[in-house]
Amino acid sequence: MSESTESANRPVAVQCRQVTKVFGQGHTEVRALRGIDLTVYTGELTLLMGPSGCGKTTLLSVIAGILEATDGEIQVLGNELQRMSAAKKTLFRQRQLGFVFQQYNLLMALNAAENVAVPLIIAGVARSAAIKQGQRLLEKVGLSKRSRAMPYEMSGGEQQRVAIARALVHQPRLIVCDEPTASLDADSGHAIMELLRDSAIDTDRSVIVVTHDPRVMEFGDRIARMEDGQVVQVESSESASSQE
């Protein structure tokens, strides 16, 4: 797997060395990750692509510290995840990471602006100021008129955009997204990927996106292709597009 000179000159945001993840044991054992080697650089949007069941979401969850790796080394933003206590890891995620998952995970008792404001409120920002910032992020994702809508009043695509705004509101250094365009039409998906790409254009921030959507390839700086629990190729999006 080759790295571009431009990428190699950037600071490293995520470093995975021989990372494995095993679920179960004995005859029920499943080896979801089989010795992952991957470097993610700051200032870039990295796409994780591959067939269903190849380990993309598992790898994203391990990088985010949601799942514990079975073996290997993982450094995220200069922190060795294996050496962090559960409490420190939780605080680290709250302050430094933004999450966009397929299930949205919105709080049903809160409206859209309040859902977006949750990371700020957890960080100690006054509720009124946090909600105002949430409203500003909703404008960026095209939901300025839906700030008071409850999750059950929104479509799946609208809920996805709320989840993306929530991931960005506290300006995290690492944003991890699992199929962020899955519930969106072409125009909305394009707008969301532009927003994520703009977020990655920062010398101290990185974005990792798991996707099956070939339409988003143009937004990635690099594409890491996975098969059977391994990263088998890393290439620039320009190289990947020329082969499609």
Side-chain angles (χ1 to χ4, degrees):
M1 296 181 292
S2 61
E3 304 285 359
S4 69
T5 301
E6 183 179 357
S7 291
N9 289 333
R10 297 178 185 271
V12 172
V14 177
Q15 182 77 66
C16 297
R17 295 189 180 95
Q18 288 299 294
V19 173
T20 66
K21 179 61 181 177
V22 179
F23 295 100
Q25 53 185 318
H27 68 279
T28 63
E29 179 180 292
V30 175
R31 299 183 65 82
L33 302 179
R34 301 169 178 262
I36 294 286
D37 289 316
L38 178 66
T39 304
V40 175
Y41 297 95
T42 60
E44 292 190 348
L45 190 154
T46 299
L47 300 176
L48 291 180
M49 303 188 75
S52 296
C54 71
K56 302 185 302 297
T57 296
T58 299
L59 177 57
L60 198 72
S61 298
V62 167
I63 289 172
I66 296 170
L67 291 176
E68 293 280 351
T70 302
D71 202 358
E73 299 178 6
I74 308 171
Q75 287 193 352
V76 180
L77 305 177
N79 297 272
E80 295 186 24
L81 293 187
Q82 304 94 314
R83 298 188 178 184
M84 298 175 71
S85 67
K88 286 185 177 180
K89 197 178 293 185
T90 297
L91 188 60
F92 173 70
R93 288 197 300 264
Q94 290 175 351
R95 292 178 175 176
Q96 303 290 0
L97 272 63
F99 302 89
V100 181
F101 294 116
Q102 292 187 56
Q103 294 81 10
Y104 317 135
N105 295 332
L106 301 183
L107 299 175
M108 293 297 109
L110 302 181
N111 64 32
E114 291 168 337
N115 263 288
V116 176
V118 165
L120 295 177
I121 294 171
I122 291 174
V125 176
R127 180 181 176 85
S128 59
I131 290 176
K132 286 182 180 179
Q133 182 64 10
Q135 291 170 334
R136 285 193 285 269
L137 261 294
L138 287 174
E139 290 179 11
K140 288 189 175 183
V141 298
L143 291 177
S144 59
K145 297 181 179 180
R146 301 288 281 161
S147 64
R148 294 186 179 181
M150 305 300 287
Y152 56 82
E153 298 174 322
M154 294 184 284
S155 68
E158 288 175 333
Q159 290 185 51
Q160 181 71 304
R161 283 185 276 172
V162 172
I164 290 168
R166 180 183 58 191
L168 299 174
V169 72
H170 59 302
Q171 299 184 338
R173 292 177 60 197
L174 176 64
I175 301 165
V176 294
C177 310
D178 194 358
E179 301 284 359
T181 62
S183 300
L184 304 177
D185 59 33
D187 290 342
S188 296
H190 191 278
I192 289 302
M193 289 305 300
E194 282 189 333
L195 180 59
L196 291 172
R197 180 70 188 91
D198 290 345
S199 299
I201 303 176
D202 186 307
T203 56
D204 198 36
R205 182 176 298 137
S206 302
V207 179
I208 304 174
V209 175
V210 164
T211 184
H212 285 94
D213 189 349
R215 299 173 301 175
V216 309
M217 288 177 61
E218 65 180 285
F219 296 98
D221 294 291
R222 292 188 309 139
I223 297 173
R225 298 189 184 274
M226 293 186 64
E227 292 180 11
D228 195 24
Q230 295 180 309
V231 174
V232 296
Q233 185 179 29
V234 179
E235 58 191 332
S236 69
S237 58
E238 292 83 359
S239 298
S241 297
S242 66
Q243 299 174 26
E244 295 294 325

